Amino acid sequence: MKYQFCQYVTIVDMNEEILSEVLFEHGEFEGISLSIGASVLMNQLGLKQFDVVYDRREGKTARNKIVDIEIDLIKKPSVTRVYLEPVRLIVGQHDIGEVE
């Protein structure tokens, strides 16, 4: 079964003021049946200026829980979205620089 993984990301400054909220799409993955509460391992998220990107530096993995599964039956073929627990990234603290 194909799943489209999504995660809400809140970008804040050092004073916890919300700068923006985005829905980060991790992409489509094929796998076995998933359920709410299950965990997935993937690259940790970081910031490159104000853009949400993967932090691909060694050891930067994150374990995220599935908080919702949405099946869109209107689209053909149907789309199954998996929502991961939201994260908060702080400008200046979660910047990854120019590392690829």
Side-chain angles (χ1 to χ4, degrees):
M1 184 169 215
K2 283 188 179 179
Y3 298 100
Q4 183 178 16
F5 282 80
C6 304
Q7 188 170 26
Y8 284 102
V9 179
T10 304
I11 302 171
V12 298
D13 64 13
M14 295 293 223
N15 296 321
E16 295 291 318
E17 295 286 328
I18 296 175
L19 300 175
S20 68
E21 293 179 310
V22 296
L23 179 64
F24 183 79
E25 294 187 6
H26 291 276
E28 275 192 15
F29 299 92
E30 197 157 334
I32 59 171
S33 179
L34 297 173
S35 64
I36 294 173
S39 295
V40 294
L41 291 175
M42 55 184 42
N43 287 317
Q44 187 172 318
L45 297 179
L47 294 170
K48 196 174 272 192
Q49 296 178 344
F50 291 98
D51 296 325
V52 179
V53 295
Y54 286 118
D55 189 346
R56 298 190 189 274
R57 295 178 288 181
E58 191 170 330
K60 297 290 185 174
T61 59
R63 183 178 187 182
N64 297 293
K65 275 195 174 171
I66 296 172
V67 294
D68 195 15
I69 298 173
E70 173 186 89
I71 302 171
D72 186 347
L73 298 175
I74 297 171
K75 287 189 178 179
K76 299 295 181 205
S78 64
V79 176
T80 303
R81 282 192 194 91
V82 176
Y83 290 92
L84 303 175
E85 60 189 344
V87 296
R88 179 179 291 248
L89 299 176
I90 302 170
V91 172
Q93 193 174 52
H94 291 105
D95 290 325
I96 65 166
E98 295 301 317
V99 177
E100 286 297 317

